[in-house]
Amino acid sequence: MVAGKKSKKQQESINSKLQLVMKSGKASLGFKSVLKSLRTGKAKLVIIANNCPPLRKSEIEYYAMLSKTDVHHYTGANSALGTACGKLFRCSVLSITDAGDSDIIRGSE
């Protein structure tokens, strides 16, 4: 019971930090743009939904390891991640290039 409450509280905090990033910072949504930001070295943090396909997830993690970028595994599905970003569509992967006013990069470590 307590662990479920803590993970829900943590997810709410990640969601509020994501909303702040979308308003004040810069983030790119989608697989291709995330790979592009990882290859150029602009990504500071990559967030992957829990129902992202395994091959895609491992490819993103590999690129992130090469570029020394942190990866956060989002506990919700891709529809929840898209909603947390304030979009009306699903999003399985997003990369944060500029956190803006949010402390999501420090909080994810």
Side-chain angles (χ1 to χ4, degrees):
M1 180 82 178
V2 175
K5 237 180 184 180
K6 186 177 181 185
S7 68
K8 184 159 179 126
K9 181 96 170 169
Q10 185 180 12
Q11 187 173 1
E12 287 175 5
S13 106
I14 288 285
N15 286 351
S16 62
K17 288 177 183 178
L18 261 177
Q19 287 174 346
L20 193 58
V21 165
M22 296 308 279
K23 279 193 174 130
S24 65
K26 287 186 180 175
S28 59
L29 300 143
F31 180 68
K32 288 183 179 178
S33 62
V34 166
L35 284 185
K36 193 181 289 184
S37 68
L38 282 171
R39 280 194 304 252
T40 56
K42 292 180 180 175
K44 306 273 194 311
L45 174 69
V46 175
I47 300 176
I48 305 173
N50 70 350
N51 64 345
C52 184
L55 183 65
R56 201 169 263 206
K57 187 184 289 189
S58 64
E59 189 175 350
I60 291 168
E61 288 170 345
Y62 177 69
Y63 273 102
M65 185 250 328
L66 290 177
S67 65
K68 297 181 179 75
T69 304
D70 293 328
V71 176
H72 177 75
H73 295 281
Y74 190 73
T75 54
N78 56 4
S79 57
L81 183 59
T83 305
C85 293
K87 305 296 181 190
L88 297 174
F89 48 84
R90 298 182 295 254
C91 171
S92 61
V93 184
L94 81 112
S95 69
I96 297 169
T97 54
D98 177 30
D101 299 331
S102 178
D103 64 339
I104 192 166
I105 295 170
R106 286 185 297 268
S108 68
E109 294 170 353

